[in-house]
Amino acid sequence: TGTLESEFSREALRKINGLARQYYLKNPLIQRGVNVQSYYVFGQGVEIAAKDAEVNDVVQAFWDDAKNKSELTAQQALVMKERELTLFGDLFFVFFVKRDGTVRIRTIPPDEIDDILCNPEDGKDPWWYKRTYSVRDLDGVYRTRTVCYRDWRYTGNQRPENAEIMTEPVFHVRVGGLSDMRFGVSEVYAAQDWAKAYKAFLEDWATITRAYSRFAWRLTTP
């Protein structure tokens, strides 16, 4: 447990996410379940539109932006984001607002988010997202950087100390877990032990079948 008895520590969630990644890439049961869910949600694509013509022009410009397509709005990107949400329980979208008002979207890897700083009086009111990550400069040297992003709904003036403040807002999407948890929990976490046990069962059954095949062909006649 972490600072709160009701949720996992960040280190525990990182281990769960690492296992979820491995199970998805290696275990066909987990991979198929995650893929079927993503195909069910976005397999036929999705269309976004606004009734107001001017608003719709803004929406379509965002949706058709080439870099937004690579991150989110293309069908393949939507399917991939659905898989990542299922596997890791969290998506952290960052919005970069350009001078002309257009918006470009990117995501932060969930394991780079160290903490979610909430309203001291309301644990369900997030204010800041603390991120620690490595930056590689042009000389090939890595340095650690700690920054904080504000939640897209937060408009207050209180800021965390000892961290660089970023101007881009973050929109957090989470699944799994319970309502009193700040972070999500991988949706395949509950299936990992079962998938491992079923893998062991299939291996044992394959061993028995091979033994039967050897006995079946050891036949002698007078």
Side-chain angles (χ1 to χ4, degrees):
T1 59
T3 55
L4 299 177
E5 293 294 334
S6 59
E7 62 181 313
F8 292 106
S9 67
R10 289 302 295 138
E11 185 60 29
L13 285 175
R14 289 187 179 102
K15 290 180 179 179
I16 291 172
N17 291 347
L19 286 173
R21 182 187 296 272
Q22 293 178 15
Y23 271 76
Y24 175 77
L25 295 174
K26 187 176 182 180
N27 189 290
L29 296 176
I30 296 295
Q31 185 178 106
R32 184 59 179 168
V34 174
N35 287 348
V36 167
Q37 178 171 310
S38 64
Y39 295 149
Y40 179 82
V41 176
F42 290 114
Q44 295 183 346
V46 61
E47 294 182 0
I48 305 295
K51 293 182 178 180
D52 184 87
E54 292 185 4
V55 174
N56 190 57
D57 290 340
V58 175
V59 172
Q60 299 309 318
F62 170 83
W63 203 258
D64 294 334
D65 183 276
K67 293 191 175 181
N68 288 341
K69 281 181 174 291
S70 66
E71 180 64 37
L72 177 66
T73 58
Q75 182 179 357
Q76 184 177 6
L78 287 168
V79 171
M80 188 61 66
K81 281 293 174 284
E82 176 66 25
R83 291 175 186 170
E84 293 175 359
L85 182 61
T86 302
L87 289 172
F88 308 132
D90 294 287
L91 290 176
F92 295 92
F93 292 102
V94 187
F95 300 101
F96 296 88
V97 182
K98 300 170 67 177
R99 291 183 177 180
D100 60 359
T102 59
V103 176
R104 187 154 290 157
I105 191 169
R106 287 293 182 267
T107 52
I108 300 172
D111 289 349
E112 293 183 358
I113 300 296
D114 286 336
D115 200 2
I116 299 177
L117 307 177
C118 299
N119 182 343
E121 303 297 332
D122 184 359
K124 296 182 180 181
D125 180 20
W127 285 0
W128 296 94
Y129 300 91
K130 184 179 180 180
R131 178 190 183 190
T132 302
Y133 64 106
S134 296
V135 180
R136 184 175 185 269
D137 60 25
L138 296 178
D139 296 327
V141 178
Y142 287 89
R143 61 183 178 85
T144 301
R145 186 182 184 189
T146 299
V147 298
C148 282
Y149 298 84
R150 66 177 178 87
D151 186 86
W152 68 285
R153 295 161 296 189
Y154 179 60
T155 58
N157 296 321
Q158 297 189 41
R159 295 187 173 188
E161 298 180 355
N162 303 321
E164 182 181 352
I165 302 300
M166 307 298 289
T167 58
E168 297 81 14
V170 164
F171 176 65
H172 179 204
V173 180
R174 75 178 188 92
V175 296
L178 300 171
S179 64
D180 58 351
M181 294 181 174
R182 294 169 300 163
F183 291 89
V185 179
S186 170
E187 290 188 279
V188 305
Y189 175 56
Q192 289 175 0
D193 292 339
W194 185 89
K196 183 178 180 180
Y198 191 65
K199 173 179 175 291
F201 166 76
L202 291 178
E203 291 172 344
D204 293 341
W205 182 251
T207 300
I208 293 172
T209 302
R210 284 194 296 269
Y212 285 162
S213 67
R214 287 197 297 269
F215 288 129
W217 289 104
R218 289 181 181 179
L219 179 65
T220 60
T221 59

